[in-house]
Amino acid sequence: MGPYLEQNVRTQVELIDPPHPAVRRTIDSMNAKGCKVYFGRWLIEGGPYVVLLDVGATAWSLDRWKTELWESCAIGVPWYDREANDAVLFGFLAAWFLGEFVAQCEEKPFVIGHFHEWLAGVGLILCRTRKLPVATIFTTHATLLGRYLCAGSVDFYNNLHAFNVDKEAGDRQIYHRYCMERAAVHCTHVFTTVSQITAVEAEHLLKRKPDMVTPNGLNVKKFSAMHEFQNLHAQSKAHIQEFVRGHFYGHLDFNLDKTLFFFIAGRYEFSNKGADIFLEALARLNYLLRVNGSQVTVVTFFIMPARTNNFNVESLKGQAVRKQLWDTANAVKEKFGKKLYESLLVGNLPDMNKMLDKEDFTMMKRAIFATQRHSFPPVCTHNMLDDSTDPVLNTIRRLGLFNSSADRVKVIFHPEFLSSTSPLLPVDYEEFVRGCHLGVFPSYYEPWGYTPAECTVMGIPSISTNLSGFGCFMEEHIADPSAYGIYILDRRFRALDDSCTQLTSFLYSFCQQSRRQRIIQRNRTERLSDLLDWKYLGRYYMSARHLALAKAFPDNFTYEPPEETAAQGFRYPRPASVPPSPSISRHSSPHHSETEEDDERYDEEEEAEKDRRNIKPPAMTGPVPEWRKPPKKGSSEASTSSNASNASTPTMPSSPSDPSSPNNSIIEERN
């Protein structure tokens, strides 16, 4: 359930008639009273049904509904906050739909309403104030106040217990939003967050300890390439190399075969996403590579959308020059090939001095002259609207990372999301990630962290932190994360400079790895995919829904936690073979070989088989439900998910104890 946005519906939703009679009657009833409610299939994998509510069509009710919200909850929403006004409209429509649906059902159903974030929280509040027979779950993916506080460069985690939350929210003019979020948290039957680090934050800022943690998963099948992921890495890397050839024309004095591609991507939150500490670490890495005479070059991409007005002319010119050189080389090649063919036809060995004439040399000289450049390659690929105040560009200026020939670390700031239709870097984000060697996400505030998770399922090593949900999750389930290509940066118990030093050591150690060692590490990283799959992590959502049913309908459902056992949970062990670390690599001969590198003790098949035996469903962070009393005969069970931001939730089987459930059959087979 989400808002109706016509532009998105045209390309992402197929509008159809509701197959369920009660849903059809509910929509007809609401539309007859002045609402605009749509039903369809979301055109993503699985094709889930969606209910779309047009908040603009009921804007005439806004004042009346805001008055009701004030009278029932003492939450006032100012007229100028359009986003909060839309949240009120959506919340009232969502609660209206759920209440109408229950009324239209011939048999009383057991309904679960799963609400995500404060934008959908008003609907949950109304379900409780109106005493609707709905089991409610509220999941916060990041607390509203926490995001604002971290963006303000405060010492957040060391002062969680000391914040005056009402004052802090008021100072930032988000008090009404904070009240909506906090009211939803305290009204819901079951409160969940996406990570343990966010659970601690929510307990202090929202004043309620989450009932359980529901980590975010991925559809691993979408990214799965089986044994092809190494080949896909090589193909995608070749596309990035073509862009680099054009971007650095005239200064392409480094070997692309010894060039590593690092990247950081996400919302442009300079401090929250760790771009500040990453740039500082890159400057230190640049110094280390230069003083140690390293032949490795690092090209680092910053993929963060910012305000721009067009592509940088110099960047576009670079790609045009590259294409011109390619066309010139092809033209000369064709003429050379034709003369060679004619010479061989008559049985003569070609005279190499006559294969290329004066015109060919003139053409090649002109092409070479076009590659001359008297300025450094640009750092930013676009024209920034706020160039003088941009934090990334200002930090680059302060550190002196100007892409000079002496620099071993080059920086490319691409302030726009990637697209295969771009005239500059024509690759999709997924293809770009596959072509890089390392994703770096040293976030200070990251409730979960989808970007490192996406790297993992595509077999790309990444750097995360112990302040991100993903980093904490991996530390909990892997004995030695770095051996599997997951580097966890300590940003909670170290000073900023110490964390920067640790990040620099991670980057420098990665640069010292040989090609074979990187291949070994990518194999290990890709084997962690199942750990992030919804077929495992979806069980947390099932547990939350069962607990909500037991709280909302105690006469029909009970929920008993299992006994804690020492065997509960699992951890990936440290690999049996030597980890891919340059400091302890072994060579098969006394002399270093360019073609035969690294330790002999590594056995990919043996190690993969050991990892497969250790893959088990993750342990619940909350109790496992048991269905003691089945629903009454003839009753139906429905589950709806209300999410104003269109965040997807996993599809779950109706009962975890059903042996025919596809999820359980997969889990049993894995065990």
Side-chain angles (χ1 to χ4, degrees):
M1 189 183 296
Y4 175 85
L5 302 173
E6 186 173 356
Q7 184 177 358
N8 293 346
V9 170
R10 289 176 183 173
T11 56
Q12 299 178 23
V13 177
E14 176 192 3
L15 297 178
I16 60 174
D17 291 329
H20 197 287
V23 176
R24 191 182 309 118
R25 290 194 297 269
T26 300
I27 293 176
D28 291 342
S29 174
M30 292 183 66
N31 287 339
K33 295 175 182 176
C35 301
K36 287 188 178 180
V37 183
Y38 302 86
F39 187 90
R41 279 194 181 276
W42 196 354
L43 300 179
I44 59 175
E45 189 170 352
Y49 291 128
V50 290
V51 175
L52 301 177
L53 308 170
D54 191 340
V55 296
T58 51
W60 50 273
S61 300
L62 180 60
D63 289 340
R64 176 165 56 87
W65 286 347
K66 285 167 70 172
T67 301
E68 181 180 339
L69 186 64
W70 171 257
E71 292 175 348
S72 61
C73 307
I75 297 176
V77 181
W79 61 271
Y80 56 80
D81 191 342
R82 182 174 179 178
E83 192 173 22
N85 288 333
D86 286 346
V88 171
L89 291 169
F90 176 79
F92 271 82
L93 287 171
W96 186 351
F97 182 91
L98 292 173
E100 189 71 29
F101 172 76
V102 172
Q104 293 290 344
C105 289
E106 297 176 357
E107 298 286 344
K108 283 298 179 183
F110 297 107
V111 179
I112 307 171
H114 194 152
F115 298 79
H116 295 259
E117 297 284 32
W118 72 273
L119 288 164
V122 174
L124 188 152
I125 297 168
L126 292 170
C127 285
R128 299 309 305 276
T129 58
R130 294 178 178 180
K131 299 182 179 178
L132 298 180
V134 175
T136 57
I137 306 172
F138 185 75
T139 297
T140 178
H141 297 256
T143 69
L144 188 66
L145 187 55
R147 193 178 293 279
Y148 273 82
L149 287 169
C150 287
S153 301
V154 300
D155 188 2
F156 181 66
Y157 292 98
N158 289 326
N159 293 290
L160 268 176
H161 62 284
F163 286 120
N164 183 337
V165 291
D166 293 320
K167 180 181 183 300
E168 297 291 349
D171 290 346
R172 289 159 178 77
Q173 298 184 10
I174 58 167
Y175 185 69
H176 55 289
R177 297 185 180 194
Y178 171 74
C179 288
M180 293 160 69
E181 180 181 41
R182 184 166 169 177
V185 166
H186 286 270
C187 285
T188 188
H189 290 104
V190 175
F191 173 43
T192 76
T193 62
V194 296
S195 63
Q196 290 288 358
I197 192 73
T198 312
V200 175
E201 173 189 341
E203 185 176 358
H204 287 91
L205 299 185
L206 298 174
K207 308 304 179 183
R208 177 176 175 181
K209 185 177 181 179
D211 297 289
M212 61 181 63
V213 172
T214 50
N216 285 326
L218 288 169
N219 181 7
V220 172
K221 183 180 178 182
K222 172 186 174 183
F223 301 99
S224 176
M226 301 303 287
H227 300 292
E228 284 295 308
F229 77 95
Q230 295 282 9
N231 294 333
L232 291 175
H233 166 73
Q235 295 169 13
S236 300
K237 183 178 69 174
H239 293 158
I240 298 175
Q241 287 175 335
E242 281 299 295
F243 166 80
V244 169
R245 288 188 177 99
H247 192 83
F248 290 94
Y249 82 91
H251 291 269
L252 199 64
D253 51 3
F254 51 90
N255 187 352
L256 283 176
D257 289 334
K258 295 182 179 180
T259 299
L260 301 178
F261 299 130
F262 297 171
F263 81 99
I264 181 174
R267 289 189 300 274
Y268 196 176
E269 298 177 5
F270 185 64
S271 298
N272 281 0
K273 295 297 182 182
D276 52 352
I277 190 175
F278 186 27
L279 282 168
E280 182 66 39
L282 287 175
R284 299 183 185 186
L285 175 66
N286 186 42
Y287 173 79
L288 287 175
L289 293 176
R290 289 170 61 179
V291 298
N292 288 291
S294 175
Q295 298 300 309
V296 172
T297 301
V298 174
V299 176
T300 304
F301 293 86
F302 284 73
I303 311 296
M304 292 178 162
R307 297 176 61 204
T308 65
N309 58 17
N310 214 328
F311 293 106
N312 187 313
V313 173
E314 191 65 21
S315 296
L316 289 172
K317 180 183 176 182
Q319 300 308 312
V321 169
R322 179 194 61 78
K323 188 177 184 304
Q324 182 187 9
L325 286 173
W326 178 257
D327 293 340
T328 300
N330 276 334
V332 173
K333 182 182 70 174
E334 288 182 7
K335 292 180 66 175
F336 184 93
K338 185 177 180 181
K339 291 181 180 180
L340 176 63
Y341 172 66
E342 291 173 349
S343 177
L344 294 175
L345 274 178
V346 296
N348 295 329
L349 289 175
D351 184 354
M352 301 306 296
N353 294 323
K354 297 181 180 179
M355 296 301 289
L356 297 176
D357 53 29
K358 186 176 180 181
E359 182 182 345
D360 296 328
F361 281 101
T362 301
M363 186 189 307
M364 289 188 288
K365 286 180 179 179
R366 287 175 177 171
I368 293 173
F369 181 76
T371 63
Q372 293 182 357
R373 175 187 263 175
H374 302 292
S375 61
F376 293 148
V379 169
C380 187
T381 59
H382 291 61
N383 295 323
M384 302 289 290
L385 290 181
D386 300 318
D387 184 285
S388 60
T389 60
D390 185 82
V392 167
L393 295 181
N394 279 340
T395 305
I396 289 173
R397 295 181 185 114
R398 176 176 60 82
L399 297 172
L401 294 174
F402 297 129
N403 294 339
S404 69
S405 297
D407 289 330
R408 296 265 54 84
V409 173
K410 319 287 186 180
V411 178
I412 299 176
F413 181 25
H414 189 279
E416 194 176 76
F417 285 131
L418 297 171
S419 170
S420 58
T421 59
S422 170
L424 199 63
L425 183 56
V427 294
D428 288 326
Y429 178 72
E430 181 181 337
E431 183 183 0
F432 173 79
V433 172
R434 286 191 186 277
C436 289
H437 296 91
L438 180 69
V440 185
F441 314 101
S443 305
Y444 183 72
Y445 186 78
E446 191 74 77
W448 175 244
Y450 268 118
T451 41
E454 288 169 342
C455 286
T456 302
V457 299
M458 287 189 271
I460 303 300
S462 62
I463 296 177
S464 187
T465 73
N466 58 356
L467 290 181
S468 74
F470 172 84
C472 294
F473 184 81
M474 284 301 180
E475 277 189 321
E476 180 184 351
H477 292 89
I478 305 176
D480 185 4
S482 61
Y484 286 88
I486 309 295
Y487 298 89
I488 309 299
L489 181 67
D490 186 358
R491 293 206 63 182
R492 188 170 189 183
F493 304 110
R494 292 193 184 200
L496 183 62
D497 187 68
D498 292 339
S499 296
C500 187
T501 301
Q502 185 185 22
L503 176 57
T504 306
S505 69
F506 286 161
L507 299 176
Y508 186 66
S509 296
F510 191 87
C511 291
Q512 289 182 296
Q513 291 183 9
S514 65
R515 181 174 179 273
R516 174 171 164 76
Q517 287 171 329
R518 292 196 301 270
I519 291 174
I520 292 172
Q521 194 172 60
R522 283 198 295 272
N523 283 329
R524 290 174 177 170
T525 303
E526 198 272 340
R527 287 203 296 273
L528 300 179
S529 296
D530 282 344
L531 193 60
L532 302 170
D533 200 338
W534 273 127
K535 68 186 178 186
Y536 296 133
L537 299 187
R539 298 171 75 243
Y540 292 100
Y541 276 80
M542 294 163 59
S543 179
R545 291 169 182 173
H546 297 157
L547 177 58
L549 285 171
K551 287 188 174 184
F553 309 108
D555 293 338
N556 300 89
F557 304 97
T558 58
Y559 180 91
E560 295 181 7
E563 294 182 4
E564 293 288 339
T565 61
Q568 189 174 357
F570 76 100
R571 282 169 65 86
Y572 275 70
R574 192 170 185 269
S577 61
V578 177
S581 171
S583 60
I584 50 176
S585 60
R586 302 287 188 271
H587 301 289
S588 55
S589 66
H591 300 285
H592 185 79
S593 170
E594 290 294 329
T595 57
E596 190 175 344
E597 301 181 20
D598 304 318
D599 62 89
E600 302 173 275
R601 289 180 282 169
Y602 175 76
D603 188 326
E604 168 65 25
E605 291 300 323
E606 180 183 351
E607 188 176 290
E609 180 58 31
K610 288 181 179 179
D611 277 345
R612 279 192 289 269
R613 288 199 297 267
N614 280 282
I615 296 176
K616 300 176 183 177
M620 293 292 183
T621 52
V624 179
E626 294 184 8
W627 295 67
R628 299 299 185 192
K629 299 180 181 178
K632 295 179 180 178
K633 187 176 181 181
S635 65
S636 60
E637 183 178 333
S639 174
T640 62
S641 179
S642 177
N643 185 351
S645 57
N646 277 351
S648 59
T649 54
T651 304
M652 297 298 144
S654 58
S655 171
S657 59
D658 181 6
S660 64
S661 163
N663 281 8
N664 284 319
S665 63
I666 292 173
I667 292 168
E668 290 170 4
E669 182 181 346
R670 271 299 191 191
N671 285 339

mmCIF file of all heavy atoms in Angstrom, residues 526-549:
data_model
loop_
_atom_site.group_PDB
_atom_site.id
_atom_site.type_symbol
_atom_site.label_atom_id
_atom_site.label_comp_id
_atom_site.label_asym_id
_atom_site.label_seq_id
_atom_site.Cartn_x
_atom_site.Cartn_y
_atom_site.Cartn_z
ATOM 1 N N GLU A 526 31.620 -13.726 -2.600
ATOM 2 C CA GLU A 526 30.382 -14.144 -3.277
ATOM 3 C C GLU A 526 29.677 -15.267 -2.529
ATOM 4 O O GLU A 526 28.456 -15.389 -2.588
ATOM 5 C CB GLU A 526 30.717 -14.563 -4.714
ATOM 6 C CG GLU A 526 29.529 -14.617 -5.658
ATOM 7 C CD GLU A 526 28.842 -15.974 -5.645
ATOM 8 O OE1 GLU A 526 29.485 -16.951 -5.217
ATOM 9 O OE2 GLU A 526 27.673 -16.053 -6.073
ATOM 10 N N ARG A 527 30.453 -16.081 -1.794
ATOM 11 C CA ARG A 527 29.839 -17.189 -1.059
ATOM 12 C C ARG A 527 29.027 -16.722 0.145
ATOM 13 O O ARG A 527 28.312 -17.512 0.759
ATOM 14 C CB ARG A 527 30.920 -18.187 -0.608
ATOM 15 C CG ARG A 527 31.489 -19.018 -1.738
ATOM 16 C CD ARG A 527 32.099 -20.310 -1.224
ATOM 17 N NE ARG A 527 33.242 -20.098 -0.361
ATOM 18 C CZ ARG A 527 34.495 -19.965 -0.779
ATOM 19 N NH1 ARG A 527 34.765 -19.988 -2.075
ATOM 20 N NH2 ARG A 527 35.479 -19.801 0.083
ATOM 21 N N LEU A 528 29.114 -15.446 0.494
ATOM 22 C CA LEU A 528 28.306 -14.914 1.596
ATOM 23 C C LEU A 528 26.905 -14.510 1.148
ATOM 24 O O LEU A 528 26.109 -14.053 1.958
ATOM 25 C CB LEU A 528 28.999 -13.686 2.211
ATOM 26 C CG LEU A 528 30.399 -13.882 2.802
ATOM 27 C CD1 LEU A 528 30.925 -12.563 3.329
ATOM 28 C CD2 LEU A 528 30.369 -14.926 3.918
ATOM 29 N N SER A 529 26.610 -14.659 -0.153
ATOM 30 C CA SER A 529 25.342 -14.166 -0.697
ATOM 31 C C SER A 529 24.136 -14.704 0.048
ATOM 32 O O SER A 529 23.197 -13.965 0.362
ATOM 33 C CB SER A 529 25.241 -14.523 -2.185
ATOM 34 O OG SER A 529 26.238 -13.871 -2.929
ATOM 35 N N ASP A 530 24.142 -16.017 0.324
ATOM 36 C CA ASP A 530 22.970 -16.623 0.966
ATOM 37 C C ASP A 530 22.685 -16.019 2.326
ATOM 38 O O ASP A 530 21.545 -16.039 2.797
ATOM 39 C CB ASP A 530 23.168 -18.137 1.106
ATOM 40 C CG ASP A 530 22.931 -18.867 -0.206
ATOM 41 O OD1 ASP A 530 22.335 -18.247 -1.117
ATOM 42 O OD2 ASP A 530 23.349 -20.029 -0.337
ATOM 43 N N LEU A 531 23.707 -15.487 2.976
ATOM 44 C CA LEU A 531 23.522 -14.877 4.290
ATOM 45 C C LEU A 531 22.620 -13.650 4.214
ATOM 46 O O LEU A 531 21.979 -13.282 5.195
ATOM 47 C CB LEU A 531 24.889 -14.491 4.858
ATOM 48 C CG LEU A 531 24.976 -14.109 6.335
ATOM 49 C CD1 LEU A 531 24.531 -15.257 7.212
ATOM 50 C CD2 LEU A 531 26.403 -13.711 6.679
ATOM 51 N N LEU A 532 22.552 -13.014 3.030
ATOM 52 C CA LEU A 532 21.777 -11.780 2.857
ATOM 53 C C LEU A 532 20.495 -12.000 2.071
ATOM 54 O O LEU A 532 19.816 -11.040 1.710
ATOM 55 C CB LEU A 532 22.642 -10.732 2.135
ATOM 56 C CG LEU A 532 23.945 -10.365 2.835
ATOM 57 C CD1 LEU A 532 24.825 -9.526 1.921
ATOM 58 C CD2 LEU A 532 23.666 -9.612 4.129
ATOM 59 N N ASP A 533 20.167 -13.246 1.794
ATOM 60 C CA ASP A 533 18.995 -13.552 0.975
ATOM 61 C C ASP A 533 17.723 -13.477 1.807
ATOM 62 O O ASP A 533 17.696 -13.862 2.978
ATOM 63 C CB ASP A 533 19.140 -14.959 0.382
ATOM 64 C CG ASP A 533 18.241 -15.170 -0.825
ATOM 65 O OD1 ASP A 533 17.243 -14.429 -0.943
ATOM 66 O OD2 ASP A 533 18.529 -16.057 -1.634
ATOM 67 N N TRP A 534 16.641 -12.998 1.173
ATOM 68 C CA TRP A 534 15.347 -12.930 1.874
ATOM 69 C C TRP A 534 14.862 -14.309 2.315
ATOM 70 O O TRP A 534 14.073 -14.419 3.259
ATOM 71 C CB TRP A 534 14.297 -12.296 0.967
ATOM 72 C CG TRP A 534 14.235 -10.799 1.025
ATOM 73 C CD1 TRP A 534 14.303 -9.934 -0.019
ATOM 74 C CD2 TRP A 534 14.060 -9.979 2.195
ATOM 75 N NE1 TRP A 534 14.208 -8.640 0.422
ATOM 76 C CE2 TRP A 534 14.056 -8.633 1.770
ATOM 77 C CE3 TRP A 534 13.930 -10.249 3.560
ATOM 78 C CZ2 TRP A 534 13.910 -7.562 2.658
ATOM 79 C CZ3 TRP A 534 13.802 -9.190 4.437
ATOM 80 C CH2 TRP A 534 13.784 -7.868 3.989
ATOM 81 N N LYS A 535 15.291 -15.368 1.634
ATOM 82 C CA LYS A 535 14.794 -16.693 2.025
ATOM 83 C C LYS A 535 15.258 -17.053 3.432
ATOM 84 O O LYS A 535 14.669 -17.921 4.081
ATOM 85 C CB LYS A 535 15.247 -17.757 1.026
ATOM 86 C CG LYS A 535 16.736 -18.033 1.004
ATOM 87 C CD LYS A 535 17.074 -18.996 -0.124
ATOM 88 C CE LYS A 535 18.570 -19.250 -0.201
ATOM 89 N NZ LYS A 535 18.924 -20.056 -1.369
ATOM 90 N N TYR A 536 16.315 -16.363 3.922
ATOM 91 C CA TYR A 536 16.734 -16.527 5.306
ATOM 92 C C TYR A 536 16.259 -15.363 6.162
ATOM 93 O O TYR A 536 15.632 -15.545 7.206
ATOM 94 C CB TYR A 536 18.260 -16.641 5.388
ATOM 95 C CG TYR A 536 18.814 -17.849 4.695
ATOM 96 C CD1 TYR A 536 19.900 -17.748 3.840
ATOM 97 C CD2 TYR A 536 18.246 -19.099 4.879
ATOM 98 C CE1 TYR A 536 20.413 -18.859 3.191
ATOM 99 C CE2 TYR A 536 18.746 -20.218 4.240
ATOM 100 C CZ TYR A 536 19.827 -20.093 3.392
ATOM 101 O OH TYR A 536 20.328 -21.192 2.756
ATOM 102 N N LEU A 537 16.560 -14.149 5.745
ATOM 103 C CA LEU A 537 16.249 -12.989 6.577
ATOM 104 C C LEU A 537 14.752 -12.717 6.650
ATOM 105 O O LEU A 537 14.299 -12.024 7.564
ATOM 106 C CB LEU A 537 16.980 -11.754 6.037
ATOM 107 C CG LEU A 537 18.511 -11.846 6.023
ATOM 108 C CD1 LEU A 537 19.123 -10.516 5.623
ATOM 109 C CD2 LEU A 537 19.038 -12.272 7.380
ATOM 110 N N GLY A 538 13.978 -13.242 5.714
ATOM 111 C CA GLY A 538 12.528 -13.073 5.782
ATOM 112 C C GLY A 538 11.910 -13.706 7.014
ATOM 113 O O GLY A 538 10.813 -13.327 7.434
ATOM 114 N N ARG A 539 12.609 -14.640 7.636
ATOM 115 C CA ARG A 539 12.089 -15.303 8.827
ATOM 116 C C ARG A 539 11.960 -14.343 10.001
ATOM 117 O O ARG A 539 11.155 -14.538 10.899
ATOM 118 C CB ARG A 539 12.995 -16.485 9.198
ATOM 119 C CG ARG A 539 13.049 -17.545 8.103
ATOM 120 C CD ARG A 539 14.107 -18.605 8.368
ATOM 121 N NE ARG A 539 13.673 -19.525 9.403
ATOM 122 C CZ ARG A 539 14.302 -19.664 10.565
ATOM 123 N NH1 ARG A 539 15.344 -18.930 10.846
ATOM 124 N NH2 ARG A 539 13.871 -20.530 11.451
ATOM 125 N N TYR A 540 12.761 -13.278 9.998
ATOM 126 C CA TYR A 540 12.610 -12.270 11.046
ATOM 127 C C TYR A 540 11.251 -11.578 10.917
ATOM 128 O O TYR A 540 10.592 -11.286 11.905
ATOM 129 C CB TYR A 540 13.726 -11.225 10.943
ATOM 130 C CG TYR A 540 15.105 -11.737 11.270
ATOM 131 C CD1 TYR A 540 16.000 -12.081 10.265
ATOM 132 C CD2 TYR A 540 15.525 -11.868 12.584
ATOM 133 C CE1 TYR A 540 17.280 -12.533 10.556
ATOM 134 C CE2 TYR A 540 16.803 -12.309 12.891
ATOM 135 C CZ TYR A 540 17.668 -12.646 11.872
ATOM 136 O OH TYR A 540 18.928 -13.094 12.170
ATOM 137 N N TYR A 541 10.862 -11.288 9.683
ATOM 138 C CA TYR A 541 9.558 -10.663 9.445
ATOM 139 C C TYR A 541 8.430 -11.608 9.854
ATOM 140 O O TYR A 541 7.421 -11.182 10.417
ATOM 141 C CB TYR A 541 9.420 -10.285 7.970
ATOM 142 C CG TYR A 541 10.035 -8.953 7.630
ATOM 143 C CD1 TYR A 541 11.403 -8.816 7.443
ATOM 144 C CD2 TYR A 541 9.243 -7.820 7.494
ATOM 145 C CE1 TYR A 541 11.972 -7.604 7.133
ATOM 146 C CE2 TYR A 541 9.799 -6.589 7.178
ATOM 147 C CZ TYR A 541 11.163 -6.490 7.004
ATOM 148 O OH TYR A 541 11.716 -5.272 6.697
ATOM 149 N N MET A 542 8.580 -12.887 9.561
ATOM 150 C CA MET A 542 7.564 -13.858 9.956
ATOM 151 C C MET A 542 7.400 -13.874 11.470
ATOM 152 O O MET A 542 6.282 -13.899 11.999
ATOM 153 C CB MET A 542 7.952 -15.254 9.448
ATOM 154 C CG MET A 542 7.938 -15.374 7.933
ATOM 155 S SD MET A 542 8.838 -16.826 7.341
ATOM 156 C CE MET A 542 7.951 -18.136 8.136
ATOM 157 N N SER A 543 8.532 -13.828 12.177
ATOM 158 C CA SER A 543 8.482 -13.838 13.630
ATOM 159 C C SER A 543 7.758 -12.599 14.154
ATOM 160 O O SER A 543 6.937 -12.683 15.081
ATOM 161 C CB SER A 543 9.910 -13.894 14.194
ATOM 162 O OG SER A 543 9.896 -13.891 15.604
ATOM 163 N N ALA A 544 8.046 -11.430 13.555
ATOM 164 C CA ALA A 544 7.397 -10.189 13.999
ATOM 165 C C ALA A 544 5.890 -10.250 13.768
ATOM 166 O O ALA A 544 5.103 -9.789 14.605
ATOM 167 C CB ALA A 544 8.002 -8.998 13.254
ATOM 168 N N ARG A 545 5.477 -10.821 12.661
ATOM 169 C CA ARG A 545 4.042 -10.887 12.351
ATOM 170 C C ARG A 545 3.313 -11.858 13.280
ATOM 171 O O ARG A 545 2.182 -11.601 13.691
ATOM 172 C CB ARG A 545 3.861 -11.276 10.883
ATOM 173 C CG ARG A 545 4.314 -10.159 9.952
ATOM 174 C CD ARG A 545 4.401 -10.586 8.510
ATOM 175 N NE ARG A 545 4.887 -9.467 7.687
ATOM 176 C CZ ARG A 545 5.191 -9.558 6.405
ATOM 177 N NH1 ARG A 545 5.072 -10.716 5.792
ATOM 178 N NH2 ARG A 545 5.620 -8.504 5.738
ATOM 179 N N HIS A 546 3.966 -12.954 13.609
ATOM 180 C CA HIS A 546 3.342 -13.892 14.544
ATOM 181 C C HIS A 546 3.201 -13.280 15.935
ATOM 182 O O HIS A 546 2.189 -13.478 16.619
ATOM 183 C CB HIS A 546 4.161 -15.186 14.612
ATOM 184 C CG HIS A 546 4.208 -15.921 13.312
ATOM 185 N ND1 HIS A 546 5.197 -16.810 12.984
ATOM 186 C CD2 HIS A 546 3.373 -15.889 12.241
ATOM 187 C CE1 HIS A 546 4.973 -17.290 11.782
ATOM 188 N NE2 HIS A 546 3.877 -16.741 11.308
ATOM 189 N N LEU A 547 4.223 -12.535 16.352
ATOM 190 C CA LEU A 547 4.153 -11.871 17.648
ATOM 191 C C LEU A 547 3.037 -10.824 17.655
ATOM 192 O O LEU A 547 2.307 -10.681 18.650
ATOM 193 C CB LEU A 547 5.498 -11.213 17.976
ATOM 194 C CG LEU A 547 5.579 -10.416 19.283
ATOM 195 C CD1 LEU A 547 5.232 -11.301 20.480
ATOM 196 C CD2 LEU A 547 6.965 -9.806 19.453
ATOM 197 N N ALA A 548 2.874 -10.096 16.555
ATOM 198 C CA ALA A 548 1.810 -9.096 16.469
ATOM 199 C C ALA A 548 0.436 -9.747 16.547
ATOM 200 O O ALA A 548 -0.482 -9.232 17.207
ATOM 201 C CB ALA A 548 1.948 -8.300 15.170
ATOM 202 N N LEU A 549 0.269 -10.895 15.885
ATOM 203 C CA LEU A 549 -1.015 -11.609 15.960
ATOM 204 C C LEU A 549 -1.312 -12.046 17.387
ATOM 205 O O LEU A 549 -2.455 -11.955 17.856
ATOM 206 C CB LEU A 549 -0.985 -12.827 15.030
ATOM 207 C CG LEU A 549 -1.106 -12.560 13.529
ATOM 208 C CD1 LEU A 549 -0.835 -13.834 12.739
ATOM 209 C CD2 LEU A 549 -2.490 -12.015 13.192
#
